[in-house]
């Protein structure tokens, strides 16, 4: 079978979802044309044009680089339907109206390419009914594709087949969505609201109902149902505000309109909650309307009180005893909650019981297996564990007995009994729905393995469910061959060709021990391996130097100890840059301060799309001290030498500003604009493919005869360049934009990146500039204002501006 290539995509509908799907396609460098109705007044593409302008203003940002908005091609249905023939994938994302979608399909059908896939982005309409409106020739290439909002950040995409969809079409689309768009795919059955919204919204309605039953306010509920419960930090009510109460109401209405007491025994709980109905009536639609369950007034957060019909002060927290309960092992945690006499404990047990009950009753109809339900809830609703995983971890049959007792006692939301498979047969024998053999399929009556397409081979350590006994990169005894695990760094290999260095200190901070271990890794790689990859199997690259490890040395041995530690860190960066084998940094999540310096000194960077890279030392009153400023000066000189201009300063300004203002690239694309990633670096949309790509890059570089760069001197801007920068800083200080201490720090940064007290055009070495870095760093660490910032960051985790 030939490879399905998506060279161009059409998105139909420039509403919130359609525009953001188009934005994400641009993020991953897929050409896209965005369609909507022709405007009745002004330019015909006015509707699309306004939607694209809005993308540049939205928070969180749909675009990895706001300047890329111009890459979205604009079109309308009156003039541009012929452009559909250029597209390999057409995603329909108009409003959730069956009649509108059907009418649009009739209009576009003659123009869709004969090979193209047509997919509807709907959150719950019947894909089968939509497909019936299409010509016979298109039906085999039609399916549902459900992105979660916001599409750039939400990992989950549900794919839904119709009876006519060819299996290879879903396989092709899954491959594209996985690798190119960077998403986690779950295949859902064509039932109302599919998997995530079916279970998630039923759970949200149950939470509102149980909160009312136990007399709990939204702020307390959110405290209980957020991070403490292993769910999204926004909890329940705040999540509803972020999603939009009108969106929530629409999804609820889909359940109300397409289900009944005969098809869903929980149907009686699907009524629109009175508080939601009232907020909708008032037009308080959540965050986008600046009022919903919560409203911000000045610095105060208020919550809506239905009884009073107004907003009242918020901020109440859950009782600490329940926070402690939720830290217990799963079996003990659920037992304590079930036996609790307090309203908050009984509420927590009730919503967990409700989620287990609902998922078990509906598993056979909504999903192929329990794994799909757990993945959908993890990826779509930010849960640390899906309902089946938590149930299994807590003791399958014990918890099942508790649930059934509540059902029999009339305390559950429905009197529907748990299915027989819960208590009898393979699941009961295995102690749960997830096994090494596969996950339970209630519709097939057996454990089914996880689907493996060729694209999944790029995921060396894919996400898995509890009980599947999958390979875990954090398990040194099971993943690869460990060669050394000292100093909070594991040195290991998967293939004997590339050495992998994984930092596992807290926040992956770089202490002297970590630096020594990485240096040992370079020596080992040079001796026995083709290349080295720095990668860690979690949501973090490194937050930089370990200040907490540095301060005791400063107290005991004075500034000399700090200077020595900085010198060692700088030498590590030079060892990485000039190593005898290519060193590739596989960056995911935060690469800040020393973490950024680790990456920029590597031979190449392979970065996940959601990588946040920057030199942030100014936030703690310091300057980058491990080669970051030296890198900025060197890159400016290299860029200038490739230009026809002779003035070095314009090439230095961007790097200086980024360091002096502690700018962080909020995507890999933005980090590239800041100079922390180069055009030759690779951006990987799917975080689970990061290690695979990094290893391939490292081996390719080695096989191509890679050699470290030659050490050479480079030109600096000198004292005149520093004076120019300082003149601009004076205006910022006098205008009140920066403090006196900010001015002092920025002045030191300017001195380093321009080469200190030398003439413009003077040739300097990296060692020379690093000595200036150390001098500036050490002068600041004894400064009272810097010490205030360091202590403030260590105690609160937030930067102090003084």
């Amino acid at each position: 079978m030939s490879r399905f290539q998506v060279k161009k995509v059409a998105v139909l509908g420039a509403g919130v979802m359609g525009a953001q799907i188009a934005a994400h396609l641009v993020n991953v460098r897929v050409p896209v044309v965005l369609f909507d109705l022709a405007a009745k007044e002004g330019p015909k593409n006015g509707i699309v044009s306004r939607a694209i302008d809005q993308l540049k203003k939205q928070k969180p940002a749909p675009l990895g680089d706001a300047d890329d908005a111009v890459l979205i091609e604009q079109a309308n249905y009156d003039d541009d339907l012929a452009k559909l023939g250029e597209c390999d994938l057409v995603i329909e994302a108009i409003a959730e109206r069956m009649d509108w979608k059907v009418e649009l399909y009739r209009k576009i059908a003659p123009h869709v390419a004969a090979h193209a896939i047509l997919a509807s982005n709907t959150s719950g309409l019947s894909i089968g009914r939509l497909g019936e409106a299409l010509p016979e020739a298109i039906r085999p290439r039609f399916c549902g594709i459900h992105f979660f909002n916001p599409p750039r950040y939400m990992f989950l995409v549900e794919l839904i087949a119709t009876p006519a969809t060819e299996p290879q079409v879903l396989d092709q689309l899954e491959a594209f969505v996985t690798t190119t768009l960077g998403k986690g795919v779950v295949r859902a059955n064509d039932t109302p609201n599919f998997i995530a919204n079916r279970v998630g919204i039923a759970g949200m309605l149950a939470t509102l109902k149980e909160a009312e039953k136990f007399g709990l306010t939204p702020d307390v509920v959110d405290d209980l149902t957020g991070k403490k419960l292993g769910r999204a930090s926004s909890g329940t009510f705040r999540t509803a505000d972020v999603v939009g109460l009108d969106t929530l109401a629409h999804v609820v209405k889909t359940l109300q309109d397409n289900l009944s007491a005969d098809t869903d025994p929980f149907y009686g709980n699907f009524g629109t909650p009175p508080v939601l109905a009232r907020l909708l009536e008032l037009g308080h639609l959540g965050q986008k309307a600046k009022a919903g369950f919560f409203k911000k007034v000045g610095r105060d957060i208020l919550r809506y009180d239905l009884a009073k019909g107004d907003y009242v002060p918020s901020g109440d927290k859950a009782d600490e005893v329940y926070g402690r309960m939720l830290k217990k092992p799963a079996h003990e945690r659920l037992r304590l909650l079930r036996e609790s006499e307090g309203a908050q404990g009984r509420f927590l047990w009730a919503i967990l019981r409700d989620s287990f009950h609902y998922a078990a009753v509906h598993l056979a109809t909504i999903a192929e297996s329990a794994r799909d339900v757990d993945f959908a809830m993890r990826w779509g609703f930010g849960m640390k564990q899906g309902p089946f995983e938590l149930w299994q971890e807590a003791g399958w049959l014990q918890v099942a007995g508790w649930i059934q007792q509540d059902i029999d006692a009339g305390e559950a939301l429905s009197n529907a009994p748990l299915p027989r498979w819960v208590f009898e047969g393979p699941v009961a024998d295995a102690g749960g729905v997830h096994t090494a053999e596969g996950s339970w399929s209630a519709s097939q009556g057996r454990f089914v393995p996880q689907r493996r397409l060729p694209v999944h081979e790029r995921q060396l350590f894919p996400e898995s469910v509890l009980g599947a006994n999958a390979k875990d990169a954090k398990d040194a005894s099971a993943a690869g061959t460990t060669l050394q695990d000292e100093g909070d760094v594991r040195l290991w290999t998967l293939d004997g060709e590339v050495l992998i260095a994984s930092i596992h200190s807290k926040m992956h901070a770089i202490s002297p021990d970590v630096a020594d271990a990485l240096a040992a890794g370079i020596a080992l790689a040079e001796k026995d391996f083709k290349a080295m990859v720095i990668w860690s199997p979690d949501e973090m690259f490194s937050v930089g130097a370990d200040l907490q490890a540095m301060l005791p040395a400063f107290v005991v041995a004075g500034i000399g100890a700090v200077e020595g530690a900085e010198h060692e860190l700088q030498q590590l960066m030079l060892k990485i840059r000039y190593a005898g084998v290519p060193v590739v940094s596989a960056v995911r999540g935060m690469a800040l301060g020393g973490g950024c310096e680790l990456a920029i000194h590597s031979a190449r960077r392979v970065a996940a799309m959601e990588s946040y890279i920057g030199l942030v030392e100014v936030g703690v009153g310091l300057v980058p001290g491990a080669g970051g400023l030296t890198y900025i000066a060197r890159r400016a000189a290299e860029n200038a030498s490739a230009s026809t201009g002779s003035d070095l300063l314009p090439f230095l300004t961007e790097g200086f500003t980024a360091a002096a203002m502690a700018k962080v690239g909020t995507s890999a694309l933005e980090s590239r604009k800041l100079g922390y990633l180069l055009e030759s670096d690779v951006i990987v949309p799917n975080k689970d493919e990061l290690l695979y790509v990094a290893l391939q890059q490292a081996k390719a570089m080695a096989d191509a005869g890679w050699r470290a760069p030659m050490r050479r001197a480079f030109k600096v801007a000198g004292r005149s360049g520093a004076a120019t920068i300082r003149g601009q800083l004076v205006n910022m200080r006098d205008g009140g934009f920066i403090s006196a201490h900010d001015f002092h720090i920025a002045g030191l940064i300017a001195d380093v990146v321009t080469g200190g007290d030398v003439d413009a055009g003077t040739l300097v070495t990296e060692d020379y500039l690093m000595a200036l870095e150390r001098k500036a760093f050490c002068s600041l660490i004894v400064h009272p204002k810097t010490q205030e910032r360091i202590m403030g960051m260590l105690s609160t985790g937030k930067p102090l501006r003084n």
Side-chain angles (χ1 to χ4, degrees):
M1 183 178 69
S2 60
R3 185 168 70 91
F4 180 71
Q5 296 185 56
V6 179
K7 297 178 182 178
K8 190 173 186 178
V9 176
V11 176
L12 312 181
V16 173
M17 283 301 292
Q20 291 198 60
I21 291 169
H24 188 59
L25 287 161
V26 164
N27 289 337
V28 297
R29 297 300 182 254
V30 175
V32 58
V33 53
L34 181 60
F35 281 81
D36 211 304
L37 298 168
K40 294 180 180 178
E41 297 180 1
K44 273 199 162 183
N45 288 332
I47 294 173
V48 174
S49 181
R50 286 190 292 274
I52 293 173
D53 286 341
Q54 190 63 32
L55 288 173
K56 295 182 281 189
K57 304 171 187 176
Q58 284 177 263
K59 298 294 179 184
L63 290 158
D65 179 355
D67 292 341
D68 285 345
V70 297
L71 299 178
I72 301 174
E73 185 180 350
Q74 302 181 23
N76 66 79
Y77 302 126
D78 285 359
D79 302 334
D80 303 312
L81 287 179
K83 292 183 178 181
L84 291 175
E86 306 167 5
C87 299
D88 309 292
L89 172 63
V90 178
I91 300 174
E92 171 270 304
I94 68 170
E96 294 282 283
R97 283 272 302 268
M98 180 72 71
D99 54 341
W100 291 358
K101 290 178 185 285
V102 168
E103 181 183 354
L104 179 61
Y105 291 177
R106 289 173 180 151
K107 182 181 292 186
I108 66 168
H111 304 277
V112 174
H115 72 284
I117 295 174
L118 173 61
S120 175
N121 179 68
T122 174
S123 60
L125 294 180
S126 170
I127 301 300
R129 284 183 58 198
L130 287 171
E132 290 170 1
L134 290 165
E136 292 282 348
I138 295 180
R139 290 180 189 179
R141 294 177 281 117
F142 175 72
C143 64
I145 182 170
H146 180 209
F147 289 86
F148 275 66
N149 191 21
R152 171 186 163 186
Y153 301 95
M154 296 301 290
F155 191 57
L156 176 65
V157 169
E158 293 175 316
L159 297 183
I160 309 96
T162 74
T165 307
E166 290 183 355
Q168 73 174 34
V169 166
L170 241 59
D171 289 350
Q172 291 167 340
L173 190 54
E174 179 167 346
F176 172 74
V177 171
T178 299
T179 286
T180 305
L181 301 189
K183 301 303 178 185
V185 171
V186 165
R187 296 197 186 183
N189 292 343
D190 189 11
T191 54
N193 287 351
F194 311 129
I195 299 175
N197 275 344
R198 177 72 174 272
V199 177
I201 298 303
M204 188 172 283
L205 290 171
T207 300
L208 268 62
K209 197 175 188 74
E210 301 287 7
E212 182 182 7
K213 174 181 175 181
F214 290 103
L216 303 183
T217 57
D219 42 4
V220 172
V221 169
D222 279 0
D223 192 35
L224 287 169
T225 60
K227 284 188 175 181
K228 287 185 173 73
L229 198 59
R231 297 183 178 181
S233 58
S234 51
T236 301
F237 289 93
R238 176 63 183 150
T239 295
D241 277 353
V242 171
V243 169
L245 302 192
D246 52 343
T247 301
L248 173 61
H250 169 77
V251 179
V252 170
K253 192 171 189 307
T254 302
L255 293 177
Q256 294 168 348
D257 292 348
N258 294 282
L259 294 170
S260 66
D262 293 331
T263 57
D264 192 320
F266 294 79
Y267 186 77
N269 303 293
F270 293 162
T272 304
V275 63
L276 176 60
R278 180 57 179 154
L279 289 169
L280 292 170
E281 184 182 327
L282 293 170
H284 295 178
L285 305 181
Q287 183 172 276
K288 59 189 172 187
K290 303 190 184 303
F293 287 111
F294 295 98
K295 179 171 73 171
K296 189 174 183 180
V297 179
R299 294 187 175 182
D300 297 325
I301 303 294
L302 307 180
R303 62 174 174 82
Y304 187 74
D305 187 309
L306 181 61
K308 296 183 178 180
D310 202 358
Y311 288 89
V312 299
S314 178
D316 288 344
K317 298 291 184 183
D319 292 342
E320 291 183 8
V321 65
Y322 299 108
R324 292 194 293 271
M325 279 186 191
L326 291 173
K327 293 179 180 178
K328 300 284 187 182
H331 69 281
E332 187 177 355
R333 184 191 325 155
L334 265 61
R335 178 182 60 79
L336 289 170
L337 293 174
R338 186 170 189 269
E339 295 174 355
S340 173
E341 296 183 0
Q344 294 178 23
R346 289 187 293 148
F347 161 78
L348 284 169
W349 161 250
I351 63 171
L352 290 172
R353 175 204 63 214
D354 297 340
S355 69
F356 301 155
H357 188 191
Y358 194 85
V361 167
H362 290 292
L363 175 59
T365 56
I366 65 174
E368 180 187 54
S369 77
R371 177 180 48 250
D372 296 318
V373 174
D374 282 344
F375 276 158
M377 298 313 295
R378 276 162 48 175
W379 299 342
F381 279 78
M383 293 183 176
K384 186 177 180 180
Q385 291 179 301
F388 288 117
E389 288 180 289
L390 176 56
W391 181 352
Q392 181 165 331
E393 185 184 12
W396 184 264
L397 288 176
Q398 175 69 79
V399 174
W402 291 340
I403 298 169
Q404 191 59 53
Q405 287 172 26
D406 282 7
I407 296 169
D408 295 341
E411 295 178 4
L413 292 180
S414 167
N415 61 6
L418 289 174
R420 288 183 61 184
W421 58 259
V422 171
F423 296 101
E424 303 173 6
V427 171
D429 295 341
V433 292
H434 301 306
T435 69
E437 179 186 349
S439 293
W440 183 251
S441 173
S443 59
Q444 300 178 40
R446 64 185 182 93
F447 294 107
V448 295
Q450 189 164 354
R451 182 180 296 104
R452 298 299 294 178
L453 300 176
V455 67
H456 298 141
E457 300 307 314
R458 296 166 59 89
Q459 300 180 14
L460 301 180
F461 297 98
E463 285 197 54
S464 187
V465 286
L466 180 81
N469 298 332
K471 289 188 301 180
D472 184 350
K474 295 180 183 179
D475 184 354
S477 65
T481 301
T482 300
L483 304 170
Q484 179 181 311
D485 196 349
E486 299 174 3
D488 282 328
V489 176
R490 179 188 175 212
L491 301 176
W492 58 294
T493 184
L494 281 170
D495 56 11
E497 294 187 286
V498 179
L499 182 68
I500 304 170
S502 297
I503 305 171
H504 52 77
S505 56
K506 184 179 180 181
M507 304 287 281
H508 299 183
I510 305 172
S511 65
D513 286 346
V514 168
D516 289 344
L518 289 173
I522 294 167
L524 181 60
E526 290 176 326
K527 177 175 175 289
D528 294 331
F529 293 88
K530 281 185 175 183
M532 176 170 158
V533 167
I534 303 174
W535 171 83
S536 298
D538 49 24
E539 302 285 347
M540 182 81 62
F541 184 71
S542 171
V543 295
D546 189 345
L547 288 175
Q548 286 182 308
M550 188 180 294
L551 289 178
F554 170 58
V555 171
V556 173
I559 198 64
V562 173
E563 184 174 13
E566 281 300 293
H567 185 259
E568 288 299 315
L569 206 51
Q570 291 175 338
Q571 290 307 301
L572 169 66
M573 302 306 170
L574 293 178
K575 286 178 183 176
I576 290 172
R577 175 165 165 75
Y578 296 109
V581 294
V583 178
V584 175
S585 280
V587 180
R588 172 180 169 190
M590 289 188 287
L592 306 178
C596 174
E597 289 166 317
L598 200 63
I600 60 181
H601 282 88
S602 299
R604 182 161 294 172
R605 288 136 297 276
V606 175
M609 178 63 71
E610 296 306 321
S611 295
Y612 307 94
I613 307 173
L615 298 170
V616 296
E617 287 83 353
V618 169
V620 288
L622 294 169
V623 299
L629 299 183
T630 299
Y631 168 83
I632 289 170
R634 175 174 58 79
R635 284 294 300 161
E638 291 168 351
N639 289 335
S641 68
S643 168
T644 55
S646 58
D647 187 2
L648 183 59
L649 203 56
F651 297 94
L652 193 61
T653 302
E654 184 73 40
F656 163 79
T657 303
M661 297 183 66
K663 285 186 177 180
V664 174
T666 56
S667 70
L669 298 173
E670 195 170 79
S671 297
R672 181 177 273 166
K673 287 186 73 173
L674 293 176
Y676 299 133
L677 296 177
L678 307 182
E679 287 299 324
S680 57
D681 293 330
V682 180
I683 296 175
V684 180
N686 194 314
K687 58 184 175 55
D688 292 328
E689 296 182 357
L690 186 65
L691 178 60
Y692 171 86
V693 175
L695 292 172
Q696 297 303 311
Q697 288 286 314
K699 284 188 275 194
M701 292 168 72
D703 290 343
W706 180 90
R707 300 287 298 181
M710 301 289 285
R711 293 178 185 255
R712 66 172 64 204
F714 49 89
K715 293 180 180 180
V716 289
R719 66 178 72 87
S720 59
T724 300
I725 294 174
R726 282 182 177 275
Q728 297 169 345
L729 293 173
V730 167
N731 294 334
M732 294 180 69
R733 180 197 62 193
D734 294 348
F737 296 104
I738 59 175
S739 69
H741 194 47
D742 289 329
F743 174 80
H744 175 60
I745 298 169
L748 290 175
I749 293 174
D751 288 341
V752 175
V753 298
T754 57
D757 190 16
V758 297
D759 294 334
T762 298
L763 291 171
V764 303
T765 64
E766 289 170 303
D767 286 323
Y768 168 81
L769 283 180
M770 284 183 172
L772 293 183
E773 276 189 18
R774 292 197 305 276
K775 182 179 178 181
F777 187 94
C778 292
S779 73
L780 285 168
I781 207 160
V782 298
H783 197 293
K785 291 285 188 182
T786 286
Q787 292 178 356
E788 287 177 11
R789 289 192 183 186
I790 292 174
M791 296 312 296
M793 177 63 76
L794 292 177
S795 60
T796 68
K798 297 178 181 179
L800 169 69
R801 304 317 298 253
N802 55 359

